[in-house]
Amino acid sequence: QVQLVESGGGLVQAGGSLTLSCAASRRPFSNYAMGWFRQAPGKEREFVAAISWSGVRRYYADSVKGRFTISRDNAKNTVALQMNSLKPEDTAVYYCAAGPGFTTDLRYDYWGQGTQVTVSS
């Protein structure tokens, strides 16, 4: 069992930045690919970014490409999502996920509880 805990969400003005962090409870953390997803009110959960176990492969949704950066520190069991140039449409609950495969769909084995990001216009 892997427990994931997100932090770093909050309220920010459009154009601002936030960094989300996700801490994993289990070692070896490096066995897992990690992903970030988000869910806005009334909408389905959608893919945001993913990173392979080694950190070499990274993939982003078109809506965040060039603005968001995913990274991981396997020594600290953490994965981060740096979010720049935030837009009101980025407002959502952001979830961290862990799984054996590097994928953009919802097929991750473990999920965090989510952290709220609100971008005001």
Side-chain angles (χ1 to χ4, degrees), residues 39-118:
Q39 189 166 16
K43 295 188 177 181
E44 294 185 351
R45 191 169 299 190
E46 65 175 7
F47 168 77
V48 175
I51 188 167
S52 63
W53 66 269
S54 65
V56 171
R57 288 194 294 165
R58 308 181 193 199
Y59 192 77
Y60 299 94
D62 288 343
S63 58
V64 306
K65 202 172 295 183
R67 301 188 297 121
F68 290 12
T69 302
I70 188 171
S71 61
R72 67 188 295 161
D73 185 336
N74 287 342
K76 296 182 178 179
N77 279 22
T78 58
V79 62
L81 185 69
Q82 173 69 43
M83 306 185 294
N84 298 325
S85 303
L86 283 162
K87 305 175 182 180
E89 51 263 44
D90 294 318
T91 295
V93 177
Y94 283 71
Y95 297 90
C96 171
F102 178 73
T103 181
T104 63
D105 59 33
L106 297 175
R107 289 180 293 171
Y108 284 81
D109 293 341
Y110 305 103
W111 293 82
Q113 82 289 350
T115 186
Q116 176 70 47
V117 171
T118 302

